[in-house]
Amino acid sequence: MILREEEGIYLSVLSLQNSSDKASILPILQVLSDLLSVGTDRRIYYMINKGGSEALLQTLVDTSRSASPDWDILLPLFRLLAKVGLRDKKFGQKALELEALDVTLILARKNLSHSQNLLHCLWALRVFASSVTTGAMLGINGAMELLFKVISPYTRKHTRTIRAATEVLAALLKSKSNSRRAVNRGYVNSLLRLHQDWHSRDVTNTYLIIRHGLLLCLRHIVALRSGREAFLAAQGMETFFNIAQTCLENKNMELVISAVIQILRQCYPVSRLPLVTVSSAYTFTAPGSTSPELPHHLTEEDFDDDGDEEMDKDSDVEAVKEDDDLETDMSKLSSKPGRELPEEDLAQYDAMCLELSCNFEELEPKYGDDLNIKDNLHANHHHIPSAASLRQHCLIREHNSWEQEREDSVHTSILHMVKTGKSNVQPSSKLRSATNVNQSIQQNGLGRASSGHDTSEIQPPSEQAAWDIEAISCPRITASFSNSTKSEESNEGTEKLLHTHPKHTPFHDPHLYMANATRTRSVVGFKTMAFPDLWGHCSPPTAQPMLDRKLGIQRIKILEDVRRFLQPSDVINKVVFNLDEPWPLQGSISNCLRFYSEFESGNLRKAIQVREFEYDLLVNADVNSSQHQQWFYFKVSGMRAAVPYRFNIINCEKPNSQFNYGMQPTMYSVKEALLGRPAWIRTGSEICYYKNHYRQNAATMDGASGKRYYTLTFAVTFPHDEDACYLAYHYPYTYSTLMTHLEILERSIDHRKVYFRHDVICQTLGGNPCPLVTITAFPESNSAEHLEQFRCRPYQVITARVHPGESNASWVMKGTLEFLVSSDPVAKLLRENFVFKIIPMLNPDGVINGNHRCSLRGEDLNRQWLFPQAHLQPTIYHAKGLLHFLSSTGRGPVVFCDFHGHSQKKNVFLYGCSMKETLWQAGCTVGESALLEDVSYRTLPKILDKLAPAFTMNSCSFLVEKSRASTARVVVWREMGVSRSYTMESSYCGCNQGPYQGLQFGTGELEEMGAMYCLGLLILELKSASCSHKLLAQASTLLNAEVLEHYLQRCSSSSSNNSSNRTSEVDDEPSCMEEIDYSADSSSDSEQNFTELDRQIQECAFNKDEEEENEEGSGWRRRSVP
Ligand SMILES: [Zn+2]
């Protein structure tokens, strides 16, 4: 059958080429039309291959050159032309070569008053114009003038031809030369007026498609700078703003509104950020350079709106390049030891691995009998001086409560949480939508006592009045509270509160925090602490659901921005906080919020009040850098309760964010904390993240042209009047918090059972000690056998927080550390069988100074693992050195894992390294050495997939990318030969699968993940061939035999099925209520119009006798073709 039809097409084309008279042409056209009107596009492509396009075009040219062209031939011919031309990518070029353009234009001109003939000419022109070159040629030959004769003001006649004319015009205007011509001839004004006329008179919205066509024309023109200028000069912004305002709610007008908004966005004049310089407000003189990089000051002359050449470099780049980025060079995929470290260099790591040399002679005695014994044991640990009696008192009390905590945790053993999650998930909570912020605050856990703590601690409201929130909320850093002098009275309030409000945050102590904060060195010497870090955070009892995105929020925000542009006098535009000019702004301004960020991890740079309850905020770039703005952490005070305040962070950098998919920022209220609910909670409504009109000057970006910025906007209704609240991108976790945590951990553990050592791996560039923690169990006794077992324990290495903005990694690490030293029997087994080497914060300086990504030198430390230098990247150099040392003694880690946070995806997942999977994915032939690669790297993620509620195998990837060649994961895999070398990514947002589906992460879920990771390591060991009988026996009595069996079996059965490929999963984002359209100039209209044009032609062919006006009534709505 198919063959016969193809034969028919072929013969028809042949005869068409040889026919010149009507009698023979007409039947051929009929046959072709019949053959092409059924079946698939395959027939049309076949015809194109056989020279069908040329034959049709030639017939057109021949027919129309006669003195009186025969429309009996031309009408069916045009329909065929359009149909075939739509599918022929070279059709425009062919038409140009066969000189079909001119004859069509002439035919159209002669038939201006004959709408049916004209319509057919327009279809042909529409198809010709789909090639930009041909379109440009048509423009030169006067096509646009012709079309303007067809496109009339509002009428109900000949609307089909008018519609076709707008579509041809839109297609022509894709050519920049046509757009330029259009601007020069004043068509912007004409189009605006035409649109306005149709818009105001087409009250029943019958001709939306024509209005849309006119908008498309404008959209192409305003892609030019001159087009935008003309649009602005013609008051286009005002006109379109009004249209959008009045029609925003009208669902039927979606097509028109989205075009209007796109034009408004495109025409909003680009401007530079309201900053003196985009370089960080903080500079650091790095070793080897004499002065910090001079910040580049922007001047007006620097600033160039690079107009026509503008490109949106962002969003898609990564996705497109993904496969190119795969490493396919076998020599770079094979294991290869890195540079050997000289013996004397390796020797320094001996001191960090005392467990290897200690002979435990005095093992038996009384560890744990005396709290202070650790001081002798762990000589290496830098101990805090000034132990005030107060603190000692505090400690003893707390030690008991920690013990209690420990007992509690035994009862809720980790195994009970496996894959069910520990969060008290209430299914109904997922359904609740935060309709109003106050209500959502109630839901969020404010207004309730936090988990498991005594509500009797809540102060009666009358006492609130006595709180000097401003003084309490940002205490000064002093040696200790009790030492505060008269000039530091502000701390007295805080100190008093600490007495009257018995502290109840597990593993936290404000006094220790204060002591640690005094030693923490920041670039500018922070003198204050953030209250939440000092006071502590208790995870709220339940996880919070993701926020439902409010429909149309992005448009509403964009229109608000446009309103600012149109009505600048309505904007207050008052700078109320500025790191660059700290005086005299703070405190001297009334009727506005007060902002502050000069504390650890804080990074607000500037706040501008734009309306009574709305602020534009700018966050600081990373130190010695002019980029990486994403993390934010600042204090705000002086608010009124129950009023929604809007915050717009206008210099974000990432092209998309989980803030568009249900994530909320976090907030900590000081008053809530004083009322017994010290907690960071997710808050904010009407959240949206979108590309704004700010652009970075090319000159400051090493020539990279005009990077665009994004706005994160959210509204917050604060719980109390005159409160001090802290807002952050994610739950903060400072360096001082870590140091406090480590100290408390060390004090809380039972030193008879847990070997815990806190060393300093090196000093950072900023002068802060970078901690290294060793956790294992003491040998059972000092018998030779037990010592031998101790010395043979394999190592596990875990690192975290190389990226300072990824505070989620620290919360996962917190969970890991607390679990490993806990009395949970699983933890005990782990300690008895492994030595854990943990670097909980690879980039302390970045964390301290509020960076998002980099070190003090402005470089991403997770791109420095190939050739780290001791004086430039000390923490990486020594972390790598330690791993080298372990490898050199044959003790390379069983598993290496670096904890990170992921801003674009949900859940928790691992990235690993596989030579074979990388080559497969890149489409390379897989050689023998790759085929021999064992699949053990997949086992741990599979185990975690079964164990951890937040974890999903689906997002894991084992590809080695060129751009990741210098990351910890790839370097440890390749240079140390660690096949299980991972990055663990935790979402900033939450989960879209498993028991936490629909919930945002709280700190509790992140900490649980850290514990689950440890359990995963144990099960991994149980599954390994080298697992000792003793451990198997211990584990099987410990782990419920059935449960264990279940997991082990499922793991092993699924691990044999290793061929499953990554990335079959699509984007993990739920579809958004509205298109998240960052680029205002995407032109996705072409394809739709093709099928639409097809439809029109088909319709016309079948109904050519009907009066056209009757048909147009259906507007642009699709109708089934008869
Ligand atoms: Zn990271």
Side-chain angles (χ1 to χ4, degrees):
M1 283 303 280
I2 292 170
L3 271 179
R4 275 184 52 190
E5 278 143 10
E6 290 191 342
E7 204 178 336
I9 292 171
Y10 181 54
L11 290 174
S12 303
V13 170
L14 272 185
S15 25
L16 191 60
Q17 286 164 346
N18 300 309
S19 306
S20 54
D21 59 310
K22 181 173 179 177
S24 48
I25 293 176
L26 264 183
I28 300 170
L29 294 179
Q30 187 58 47
V31 168
L32 278 172
S33 163
D34 289 348
L35 282 170
L36 298 186
S37 65
V38 289
T40 61
D41 283 0
R42 226 183 96 117
R43 295 182 184 184
I44 300 178
Y45 290 118
Y46 178 80
M47 176 166 166
I48 294 168
N49 272 336
K50 295 297 170 194
S53 301
E54 289 86 345
L56 291 171
L57 288 164
Q58 193 56 56
T59 309
L60 168 66
V61 172
D62 295 345
T63 311
S64 53
R65 273 186 182 153
S66 75
S68 55
D70 188 340
W71 284 90
D72 288 344
I73 295 177
L74 286 173
L75 289 180
L77 182 59
F78 272 129
R79 287 198 288 269
L80 273 173
L81 268 172
K83 198 171 179 108
V84 173
L86 281 178
R87 275 94 180 165
D88 186 348
K89 286 209 173 82
K90 294 182 179 154
F91 198 71
Q93 196 54 39
K94 291 172 184 171
L96 188 62
E97 283 162 11
L98 293 169
E99 300 177 353
L101 302 189
D102 282 346
V103 297
T104 311
L105 278 176
I106 292 166
L107 284 174
R109 277 194 195 102
K110 286 186 180 162
N111 284 275
L112 278 174
S113 54
H114 193 303
S115 66
Q116 190 71 355
N117 295 353
L118 178 60
L119 179 63
H120 281 71
C121 295
L122 292 174
W123 285 339
L125 291 173
R126 168 74 184 78
V127 180
F128 296 158
S130 48
S131 141
V132 174
T133 330
T134 319
M137 193 53 72
L138 283 169
I140 291 169
N141 293 340
M144 290 198 293
E145 291 79 355
L146 172 74
L147 293 169
F148 271 101
K149 288 181 185 155
V150 182
I151 305 172
S152 70
Y154 177 77
T155 170
R156 286 160 67 183
K157 290 192 174 160
H158 309 302
T159 52
R160 192 188 285 233
T161 35
I162 294 174
R163 171 194 173 166
T166 59
E167 282 168 0
V168 179
L169 185 58
L172 289 176
L173 289 167
K174 282 185 181 170
S175 134
K176 298 241 189 263
S177 66
N178 283 343
S179 275
R180 217 163 278 130
R181 191 170 296 117
V183 174
N184 294 339
R185 300 199 175 164
Y187 290 165
V188 172
N189 229 324
S190 319
L191 285 166
L192 264 170
R193 270 197 246 115
L194 280 168
H195 179 265
Q196 187 62 16
D197 188 65
W198 281 87
H199 176 75
S200 55
R201 292 167 65 190
D202 177 25
V203 286
T204 54
N205 291 335
T206 309
Y207 304 112
L208 282 173
I209 196 71
I210 293 179
R211 290 151 67 184
H212 181 245
L214 293 168
L215 292 172
L216 269 186
C217 295
L218 282 167
R219 227 182 83 192
H220 292 310
I221 297 177
V222 301
L224 292 186
R225 193 207 303 201
S226 56
R228 293 193 289 275
E229 285 165 358
F231 182 82
L232 289 173
Q235 310 290 304
M237 293 295 276
E238 288 83 348
T239 311
F240 278 20
F241 176 71
N242 290 332
I243 291 174
Q245 283 284 305
T246 50
C247 304
L248 204 55
E249 304 293 318
N250 188 341
K251 299 261 182 309
N252 296 329
M253 293 189 52
E254 177 56 31
L255 196 62
V256 164
I257 295 168
S258 81
V260 163
I261 301 254
Q262 274 173 328
I263 294 169
L264 283 171
R265 292 183 81 174
Q266 182 101 39
C267 294
Y268 198 122
V270 167
S271 52
R272 62 193 174 93
L273 289 169
L275 288 174
V276 282
T277 165
V278 290
S279 301
S280 176
Y282 299 153
T283 47
F284 173 75
T285 308
S289 70
T290 46
S291 67
E293 230 176 279
L294 278 180
H296 180 98
H297 287 265
L298 292 185
T299 62
E300 285 302 331
E301 302 83 76
D302 281 340
F303 190 73
D304 178 35
D305 170 3
D306 28 330
D308 300 353
E309 278 68 54
E310 68 197 6
M311 285 167 46
D312 286 309
K313 295 181 64 180
D314 28 46
S315 41
D316 317 319
V317 175
E318 222 167 313
V320 173
K321 283 191 178 166
E322 207 171 67
D323 274 7
D324 291 349
D325 189 29
L326 292 176
E327 185 57 77
T328 52
D329 180 346
M330 274 305 288
S331 69
K332 289 184 175 159
L333 283 170
S334 336
S335 181
K336 177 199 149 237
R339 281 180 306 181
E340 286 288 306
L341 282 185
E343 208 131 297
E344 60 271 24
D345 276 4
L346 282 176
Q348 60 187 311
Y349 302 108
D350 268 332
M352 296 176 205
C353 298
L354 289 179
E355 66 278 4
L356 289 175
S357 51
C358 183
N359 57 16
F360 297 99
E361 270 165 2
E362 347 128 39
L363 197 60
E364 291 312 319
K366 60 281 165 187
Y367 293 138
D369 293 354
D370 178 358
L371 266 178
N372 289 323
I373 194 144
K374 67 184 169 31
D375 291 347
N376 312 326
L377 236 177
H378 311 295
N380 230 2
H381 174 53
H382 61 287
H383 191 258
I384 293 143
S386 78
S389 59
L390 170 94
R391 214 177 65 204
Q392 202 59 37
H393 165 77
C394 171
L395 252 181
I396 288 159
R397 179 180 56 75
E398 273 153 19
H399 181 66
N400 296 332
S401 67
W402 289 324
E403 279 301 303
Q404 186 56 48
E405 201 98 28
R406 172 99 344 102
E407 293 309 312
D408 292 347
S409 77
V410 176
H411 294 305
T412 60
S413 159
I414 188 168
L415 292 168
H416 294 227
M417 305 186 232
V418 167
K419 209 59 186 180
T420 58
K422 79 170 191 32
S423 275
N424 186 7
V425 180
Q426 297 165 342
S428 64
S429 65
K430 289 189 196 178
L431 302 174
R432 283 186 309 227
S433 62
T435 43
N436 101 19
V437 176
N438 264 333
Q439 190 192 342
S440 81
I441 284 181
Q442 294 301 319
Q443 291 166 355
N444 290 345
L446 283 182
R448 275 186 247 150
S450 53
S451 58
H453 297 296
D454 193 356
T455 48
S456 66
E457 285 170 5
I458 297 176
Q459 300 289 309
S462 60
E463 265 196 38
Q464 282 190 44
W467 295 338
D468 178 356
I469 290 292
E470 214 45 64
I472 294 165
S473 64
C474 223
R476 294 182 64 79
I477 298 176
T478 57
S480 92
F481 286 105
S482 32
N483 288 347
S484 50
T485 63
K486 288 275 186 239
S487 65
E488 285 151 349
E489 272 172 19
S490 62
N491 279 354
E492 282 179 18
T494 318
E495 192 180 349
K496 239 170 70 189
L497 280 167
L498 284 170
H499 282 295
T500 56
H501 289 63
K503 197 192 71 63
H504 51 220
T505 310
F507 296 99
H508 182 76
D509 176 350
H511 295 90
L512 281 185
Y513 186 89
M514 169 72 100
N516 279 300
T518 58
R519 285 187 295 268
T520 296
R521 292 215 210 158
S522 57
V523 166
V524 290
F526 292 135
K527 294 183 180 60
T528 55
M529 292 170 290
F531 184 86
D533 300 318
L534 175 76
W535 194 261
H537 153 79
C538 289
S539 182
T542 55
Q544 294 174 241
M546 288 176 199
L547 188 73
D548 286 333
R549 186 176 167 95
K550 187 179 160 186
L551 191 69
I553 178 69
Q554 181 174 301
R555 287 177 180 179
I556 294 169
K557 282 305 303 167
I558 287 164
L559 288 178
E560 279 178 22
D561 287 353
V562 173
R563 184 197 298 278
R564 282 201 217 179
F565 170 72
L566 294 176
Q567 296 154 10
S569 58
D570 289 358
V571 181
I572 299 173
N573 230 350
K574 184 168 71 179
V575 178
V576 296
F577 173 77
N578 192 351
L579 269 190
D580 300 291
E581 296 169 57
W583 188 256
L585 298 167
Q586 280 296 303
S588 66
I589 302 175
S590 55
N591 286 328
C592 69
L593 294 175
R594 292 182 292 278
F595 292 86
Y596 193 71
S597 75
E598 286 158 276
F599 46 76
E600 214 179 315
S601 294
N603 71 343
L604 184 68
R605 179 160 189 183
K606 191 170 185 178
I608 304 164
Q609 185 178 25
V610 290
R611 297 194 178 95
E612 188 178 4
F613 300 111
E614 179 170 359
Y615 295 84
D616 279 356
L617 307 176
L618 293 107
V619 295
N620 197 12
D622 283 6
V623 176
N624 282 19
S625 152
S626 59
Q627 46 183 336
H628 305 298
Q629 303 91 271
Q630 205 72 19
W631 166 259
F632 60 88
Y633 184 18
F634 57 89
K635 182 188 122 176
V636 55
S637 58
M639 67 282 285
R640 282 166 34 194
V643 175
Y645 287 87
R646 177 159 289 282
F647 299 101
N648 312 306
I649 299 181
I650 60 173
N651 64 339
C652 298
E653 281 199 317
K654 294 218 170 191
N656 199 351
S657 162
Q658 282 288 319
F659 284 120
N660 277 329
Y661 305 95
M663 182 165 93
Q664 295 171 288
T666 61
M667 179 182 80
Y668 186 107
S669 153
V670 172
K671 280 196 176 174
E672 280 294 311
L674 296 177
L675 288 167
R677 296 179 289 267
W680 282 102
I681 55 158
R682 303 274 189 167
T683 197
S685 59
E686 303 191 7
I687 300 175
C688 170
Y689 188 94
Y690 63 97
K691 188 190 270 180
N692 60 31
H693 64 280
Y694 292 107
R695 184 177 306 196
Q696 185 164 0
N697 172 8
T700 57
M701 272 304 295
D702 309 324
S705 82
K707 184 177 61 179
R708 297 291 295 256
Y709 290 100
Y710 297 81
T711 292
L712 163 66
T713 178
F714 57 96
V716 175
T717 305
F718 296 103
H720 301 281
D721 272 328
E722 292 299 325
D723 194 0
C725 288
Y726 286 79
L727 290 166
Y729 183 60
H730 194 76
Y731 309 101
Y733 191 100
T734 64
Y735 171 75
S736 299
T737 301
L738 170 70
M739 299 308 272
T740 308
H741 186 229
L742 292 179
E743 205 172 325
I744 291 174
L745 274 184
E746 186 166 9
R747 284 163 191 239
S748 71
I749 55 178
D750 182 342
H751 287 273
R752 285 166 303 193
K753 295 174 185 160
V754 184
Y755 180 103
F756 181 100
R757 223 179 51 243
H758 171 176
D759 296 307
V760 173
I761 193 164
C762 65
Q763 294 288 316
T764 66
L765 294 183
N768 294 290
C770 177
L772 165 69
V773 175
T774 306
I775 298 172
T776 184
F778 282 98
E780 252 177 83
S781 73
N782 55 8
S783 71
E785 184 197 356
H786 287 147
L787 288 179
E788 176 66 12
Q789 190 274 346
F790 181 87
R791 300 235 159 82
C792 292
R793 282 179 199 168
Y795 276 84
Q796 297 277 0
V797 175
I798 312 174
T799 58
R801 204 78 189 274
V802 70
H803 293 143
E806 294 166 2
S807 60
N808 32 6
S810 277
W811 290 98
V812 175
M813 178 55 87
K814 179 174 189 280
T816 297
L817 288 167
E818 281 172 22
F819 180 75
L820 282 177
V821 302
S822 74
S823 52
D824 190 294
V826 170
K828 182 167 175 284
L829 276 188
L830 282 164
R831 291 191 299 265
E832 287 167 357
N833 288 280
F834 296 106
V835 181
F836 287 86
K837 285 284 178 195
I838 297 175
I839 306 175
M841 196 173 276
L842 276 169
N843 188 356
D845 293 339
V847 171
I848 293 164
N849 294 289
N851 284 6
H852 178 68
R853 185 82 183 175
C854 295
S855 69
L856 289 186
R857 297 181 72 238
E859 55 190 12
D860 181 344
L861 288 180
N862 204 31
R863 297 292 184 278
Q864 309 296 329
W865 277 76
L866 276 175
F867 308 108
Q869 297 190 53
H871 68 294
L872 298 178
Q873 301 94 13
T875 62
I876 305 303
Y877 178 87
H878 290 288
K880 189 174 176 181
L882 176 67
L883 282 155
H884 262 307
F885 170 76
L886 292 176
S887 295
S888 72
T889 55
R891 309 290 297 271
V894 200
V895 180
F896 169 82
C897 192
D898 190 19
F899 294 172
H900 284 248
H902 204 288
S903 70
Q904 309 287 341
K905 290 187 167 181
K906 294 197 166 68
N907 310 307
V908 180
F909 47 95
L910 288 178
Y911 289 142
C913 302
S914 160
M915 182 198 303
K916 189 158 58 179
E917 293 193 30
T918 305
L919 293 173
W920 268 339
Q921 181 72 25
C924 294
T925 43
V926 176
E928 200 164 332
S929 59
L931 280 173
L932 289 176
E933 180 183 57
D934 79 38
V935 293
S936 58
Y937 60 88
R938 275 185 166 259
T939 316
L940 181 62
K942 281 187 167 153
I943 291 169
L944 290 173
D945 186 59
K946 302 285 185 293
L947 295 178
F951 193 91
T952 176
M953 184 75 184
N954 287 338
S955 298
C956 294
S957 164
F958 306 96
L959 304 179
V960 181
E961 303 91 343
K962 290 176 201 154
S963 61
R964 303 290 189 276
S966 200
T967 61
R969 162 177 66 102
V970 175
V971 170
V972 172
W973 170 71
R974 187 159 166 257
E975 294 190 13
M976 324 275 173
V978 177
S979 66
R980 295 182 178 107
S981 174
Y982 303 105
T983 297
M984 185 158 84
E985 300 277 0
S986 304
S987 173
Y988 283 104
C989 180
C991 288
N992 59 7
Q993 53 81 45
Y996 300 153
Q997 184 170 22
L999 298 176
Q1000 298 182 77
F1001 283 141
T1003 52
E1005 288 70 37
L1006 295 167
E1007 290 182 54
E1008 177 192 70
M1009 185 62 231
M1012 287 295 169
Y1013 174 78
C1014 300
L1015 175 57
L1017 293 178
L1018 179 67
I1019 294 187
L1020 178 70
E1021 175 65 13
L1022 294 176
K1023 285 170 58 61
S1024 81
S1026 63
C1027 181
S1028 72
H1029 292 297
K1030 186 180 170 194
L1031 176 58
L1032 265 179
Q1034 286 172 316
S1036 54
T1037 53
L1038 167 63
L1039 306 172
N1040 176 320
E1042 266 173 67
V1043 171
L1044 186 63
E1045 193 78 352
H1046 176 69
Y1047 287 110
L1048 294 186
Q1049 274 185 354
R1050 280 181 59 187
C1051 292
S1052 55
S1053 65
S1054 56
S1055 67
S1056 58
N1057 169 28
N1058 56 52
S1059 60
S1060 75
N1061 239 331
R1062 175 205 87 114
T1063 60
S1064 49
E1065 108 234 36
V1066 222
D1067 192 2
D1068 76 332
E1069 300 306 345
S1071 61
C1072 216
M1073 294 304 191
E1074 63 194 296
E1075 190 193 359
I1076 298 184
D1077 181 19
Y1078 293 109
S1079 64
D1081 46 17
S1082 66
S1083 37
S1084 54
D1085 50 282
S1086 53
E1087 298 244 2
Q1088 285 163 9
N1089 281 3
F1090 276 10
T1091 49
E1092 182 60 22
L1093 182 53
D1094 245 359
R1095 190 190 64 78
Q1096 290 177 52
I1097 295 164
Q1098 192 94 341
E1099 207 171 73
C1100 180
F1102 281 91
N1103 304 297
K1104 49 193 161 203
D1105 302 327
E1106 281 181 41
E1107 225 297 295
E1108 66 172 73
E1109 265 57 17
N1110 295 338
E1111 298 218 283
E1112 282 295 327
S1114 63
W1116 53 279
R1117 270 170 277 142
R1118 290 273 155 99
R1119 296 196 313 171
S1120 56
V1121 176

